[in-house]
Amino acid sequence: GKHLDENVLIKSKDKIISLGREISETFEYAYVFLKCGDIIYSHLNEIYRKYVSEDRIYEMIMAMKMPDKRTRTGKRMRRFGSAITSAGIKSELGSLSEGISNIYLIEVPTGYRMKNILDHVSQIITGQGYDVEEIYCPMNPYGTAEHIISHDADIAVFTCNEYHLKDIFDDNSKVVIKVEITSINDIDKARIEELKNLGKKNIDKAIEILSNAKEKHDELEVYYIDAMDFNAMEYIKKEVIDKIDK
């Protein structure tokens, strides 16, 4: 607030406070639907686990190209590679893995979670002495990693479904493995379809609400723009550039 004209802001104090409250409440409302979506996908995962075989995936892990072992233990770091925004789902998985030669894509049904497998991959890579970035789902940030990236070891393992598409990766640098699903009974088939539809509806609703929050935020921003001393900002910008150039 150093270069904001408080006298300008005071004139619109009540409206600024009201908009701030509305924005906060709108975000909270969006998170309700994201939490519901997470519960739905968690139950989908439980259904799929009755029918999915992970044998081929473990075979892939054992065959991964691994660099020579180091004397140190690698670090495991939590990261995000995608976000649910007012403009929809945004992903930077392609750019995050740029430059990596060994990319492994595991195709899974939407809702299926790779907890044990990706945790095992992280342990192998860090056990060899290389650092790992574990990429988490924005709907379940305290849950399990969805993707593993190690620029250090030149390896990346991605979970692919309708929200994480394999097409963003170069064909020459990827190995694609599909999880094997045995015959699903009719009751579970119906439940899977219903849960997938409900999950998508919750995500779509959250995005719609986030869009409303952005509109309110844009409205709030106008008040701060009117009160901003942009000449002072340009001076600060020049000072920072001068320090960098020295």
Side-chain angles (χ1 to χ4, degrees):
K2 184 178 178 182
H3 298 292
L4 287 171
D5 188 337
E6 292 184 3
N7 292 323
V8 174
L9 292 176
I10 287 171
K11 292 175 186 177
S12 307
K13 176 183 172 184
D14 292 342
K15 184 61 177 177
I16 289 170
I17 291 171
S18 174
L19 275 171
R21 188 181 298 116
E22 283 183 53
I23 292 166
S24 178
E25 290 173 355
T26 305
F27 273 114
E28 287 177 9
Y29 189 44
Y31 295 149
V32 169
F33 290 92
L34 293 178
K35 286 175 184 175
C36 288
D38 181 49
I39 292 169
I40 288 165
Y41 287 124
S42 292
H43 193 68
L44 258 176
N45 178 58
E46 293 305 314
I47 296 175
Y48 279 127
R49 287 211 166 273
K50 296 190 289 183
Y51 302 102
V52 169
S53 169
E54 296 178 341
D55 291 348
R56 284 189 65 212
I57 301 171
Y58 277 106
E59 288 174 13
M60 178 202 78
I61 291 169
M62 299 309 296
M64 279 194 313
K65 295 178 182 177
M66 191 67 63
D68 293 338
K69 185 176 176 62
R70 292 172 170 173
T71 55
R72 67 188 283 267
T73 299
K75 294 183 293 185
R76 296 172 71 165
M77 297 162 283
R78 296 175 69 99
R79 299 282 189 269
F80 290 101
S82 59
I84 298 171
T85 75
S86 59
I89 298 173
K90 301 296 181 183
S91 174
E92 291 297 331
L93 296 178
S95 60
L96 286 172
S97 60
E98 194 172 330
I100 291 181
S101 304
N102 304 298
I103 296 176
Y104 300 88
L105 309 181
I106 304 173
E107 283 193 52
V108 299
T110 299
Y112 187 72
R113 290 175 173 169
M114 304 282 293
K115 174 180 177 0
N116 296 331
I117 291 173
L118 294 184
D119 187 63
H120 186 55
V121 172
S122 267
Q123 288 180 27
I124 291 173
I125 295 174
T126 54
Q128 287 289 108
Y130 298 89
D131 296 339
V132 162
E133 294 176 288
E134 298 176 340
I135 312 299
Y136 285 77
C137 174
M139 286 181 64
N140 188 24
Y142 302 107
T144 59
E146 283 191 313
H147 318 285
I148 299 294
I149 299 173
S150 176
H151 284 274
D152 211 15
D154 197 27
I155 292 172
V157 182
F158 292 103
T159 302
C160 294
N161 55 35
E162 65 181 291
Y163 296 111
H164 307 297
L165 302 179
K166 65 179 184 293
D167 297 337
I168 63 176
F169 301 100
D170 185 342
D171 283 331
N172 297 323
S173 63
K174 67 190 181 189
V175 175
V176 181
I177 300 291
K178 272 190 178 182
V179 296
E180 296 174 350
I181 302 175
T182 56
S183 182
I184 301 173
N185 69 44
D186 290 340
I187 292 174
D188 280 341
K189 274 184 184 176
R191 287 176 177 170
I192 285 168
E193 284 307 306
E194 185 174 30
L195 289 170
K196 281 172 67 177
N197 289 334
L198 284 171
K200 186 176 187 309
K201 284 180 181 177
N202 275 276
I203 290 175
D204 289 345
K205 185 62 179 177
I207 290 169
E208 177 190 324
I209 297 166
L210 288 171
S211 179
N212 292 337
K214 185 182 184 303
E215 287 177 10
K216 294 179 188 299
H217 184 273
D218 290 345
E219 187 180 344
L220 176 62
E221 201 171 55
V222 171
Y223 292 100
Y224 285 92
I225 289 172
D226 290 343
M228 177 67 72
D229 183 351
F230 285 99
N231 290 329
M233 292 301 295
E234 283 299 316
Y235 177 75
I236 292 170
K237 176 182 168 184
K238 185 178 182 304
E239 274 192 327
V240 171
I241 291 171
D242 288 343
K243 285 179 182 178
I244 293 171
D245 288 341
K246 285 182 180 178

